Amino acid sequence: MTIAVIARNTFKEAVRDRVLYLLLFFAALAIVLSRVLALLTVGDRAKVVKDVGLASISLFGALMAILIGTGLVYKEIDKRTIFTLISKPIRRSEFLLGKYFGLLLTLAVMTAAMSAIFLVLVFAHTLAWEFRLLIPILFIFLELGLLTAVAILFSSFSTPILSSLYALSFFLIGHFSWSLETLIQKTPPGWGRTALRAVYAVLPDLENFNLKTEFVHGLTVPSSFYVYAPLYALVYTGFVLALAVLVFRRRDFI
Amino acid sequence: MADILELRDVRKAFRQGFLLRSREVLKGISFSVGEGEIFGYLGPNGAGKTSTIKCVLGLLFPDGGTIRIGGRPHLETRAKAGLGFLPENPYFYDYLTAAEFLDFYAQLFGLPKSERRERAARLLGLVGMEKAAGLQLRKFSRGMLQRIGLAQALVNDPSFLILDEPLGGLDPLGRKEIRDIILTLKEDGKTVLFTSHILQDIEMICDRVAILIGGRIHRQGRLADLVSENILFTELTVSGIDPAEVAGLGRSLSAQGGRILLKVFDDVGLESVLDLVRERKGTIHALIPRVQTLEDIFVEAVKNP
């Protein structure tokens, strides 16, 4: 109940943030510009529209999660609005989770808006409503859920600028950590390979939520992926949120 | 009278600077606030008033000591159910309107929609903000924020209110209105703990006070017990006599336009001055006995901690 109240208020706060609309505008622009790129392409133009469109949703969704998420908790502490909130009978964990779900709700609305623009543009090319493209978008949303948790974690103890840098690093590392697998294979067995495996296990693998290529090019996706990836998102997000609650629950608000 | 708030030997230190040196801001604070009383918590800037309140509210974690609200450990969520808090320099969600703002806090207490609406309207009326219900808080003046902050503190109909500098930033009329509201709350059986720099206000409405200096409670008790009723000195304004004649009877503060302003410290001196005025057929324009005030105690405490 309390989490829902705080989440609704966070949603109100986020939708009144101009940064959100600026990002939505650029996201829409990027999606529409994919049409220009398609015109310059030889071959299947619809594939370019789909590829660039999905990439735009992923990138701008991530920017929204990071830029708004990293300021959410910090602003409450900096502007001291948290003083009156914590004086009410609410737990700090409820406050933090309320913030998380509030931003997640905002991202859901923004992703829906970007998806609508994207689907209309695809329709203009193929003259067919390709609702199956909502599946990779759903996986992008899982990634945004994890990124939001990471942004909130950093926001609970650091400034927005530093938090944005940390969260952006998490995003980039998450999308390139798969290359460690190649390195592991090329490393001779021994402590070096074991250490690399340990690092690979700890680092996020956000490529787990990347179904863009498969859906754009009509490749088959193993059915186990539909179970494994959401489970991975759930466990990783849960872990990050638990860590954020742990950091936040003993923090002094000076 | 049961204690609604009890602090026992509360200590808090902050680590600061590059070397993380420890600075103790609360050095064993102990006091209690009884049910139904208005308790004034005063001290100079940096004495630790707000830190004490933050410890009570769970915004700071004390290094030692115990705090109980209504008999429960202060960090229990149930302990805060009957509590209302107005922070110093109210900081609120400025993108909300006054009505939305009160509704948000009322929701945190699980109140149904109809009750929330009724309560918001009543509280806006109480603090004289009915016309600002649809206005965003970012357009509020400092005084308006203070009023809406007080309404927010009352949204759960609390039995215990903590008001941190509730009269700060208000004009004399606004201060009187808030003072009256606090007295009305007391009449309704509510307990109020409030901090203020304005000693006159504390003196006017508080039952008991605690003076905090340098992180320690210097004095505490009922105002009547702290403030002596003995006359400290008498201020006299007289005319028709020579200033040189009264020089030895008291301290002459000014002598302009034939009027002498004189400070006399004992009854003998006062009688002598009055006799002299009668003898010279002069006039007594004013005779004001000055008893000890809270300000005297406060100034003395700050000077000699």
Side-chain angles (χ1 to χ4, degrees), chain A residues 25-105:
Chain A
F25 170 75
F26 280 111
L29 199 69
I31 294 167
V32 173
L33 278 180
S34 65
R35 164 95 181 117
V36 180
L37 279 177
L39 291 174
L40 300 172
T41 311
V42 180
D44 194 346
R45 288 174 174 174
K47 277 183 183 172
V48 177
V49 171
K50 289 175 195 170
D51 216 9
V52 176
L54 285 173
S56 302
I57 293 173
S58 171
L59 180 70
F60 284 96
L63 284 177
M64 284 175 192
I66 292 170
L67 293 179
I68 297 173
T70 50
L72 271 185
V73 178
Y74 180 83
K75 257 197 279 181
E76 291 268 2
I77 300 166
D78 190 49
K79 289 189 168 181
R80 304 181 189 188
T81 44
I82 200 164
F83 288 8
T84 30
L85 215 51
I86 296 291
S87 72
K88 308 293 180 216
I90 67 167
R91 293 184 186 90
R92 290 188 180 201
S93 55
E94 290 173 327
F95 166 78
L96 213 61
L97 292 176
K99 286 273 149 195
Y100 173 74
F101 286 113
L103 183 52
L104 209 59
L105 182 65

Side-chain angles (χ1 to χ4, degrees), chain B residues 213-272:
Chain B
I213 292 166
R216 283 196 180 89
I217 298 278
H218 187 76
R219 291 184 77 174
Q220 63 173 312
R222 298 189 65 80
L223 258 177
D225 298 335
L226 291 181
V227 178
S228 158
E229 286 182 4
N230 293 336
I231 294 168
L232 294 176
F233 57 85
T234 305
E235 271 184 9
L236 275 162
T237 310
V238 294
S239 62
I241 54 170
D242 183 357
E245 286 182 293
V246 289
L249 300 172
R251 196 194 309 159
S252 175
L253 298 174
S254 72
Q256 283 177 342
R259 289 190 179 197
I260 305 165
L261 176 62
L262 197 65
K263 208 171 178 181
V264 184
F265 294 92
D266 53 36
D267 291 347
V268 180
L270 182 64
E271 283 300 325
S272 306

Side-chain angles (χ1 to χ4, degrees), chain B residues 56-109:
Chain B
V56 171
L57 297 170
L59 290 162
L60 291 179
F61 293 97
D63 300 327
T66 56
I67 303 172
R68 298 182 83 81
I69 303 172
R72 295 179 192 281
H74 72 299
L75 291 177
E76 262 187 27
T77 45
R78 274 188 299 175
K80 294 182 190 170
L83 181 80
F85 169 59
L86 169 68
E88 184 186 4
N89 303 322
Y91 304 95
F92 301 127
Y93 300 109
D94 57 7
Y95 52 87
L96 295 179
T97 65
E100 282 176 336
F101 173 74
L102 291 180
D103 189 65
F104 167 63
Y105 284 105
Q107 281 183 62
L108 291 174
F109 291 93

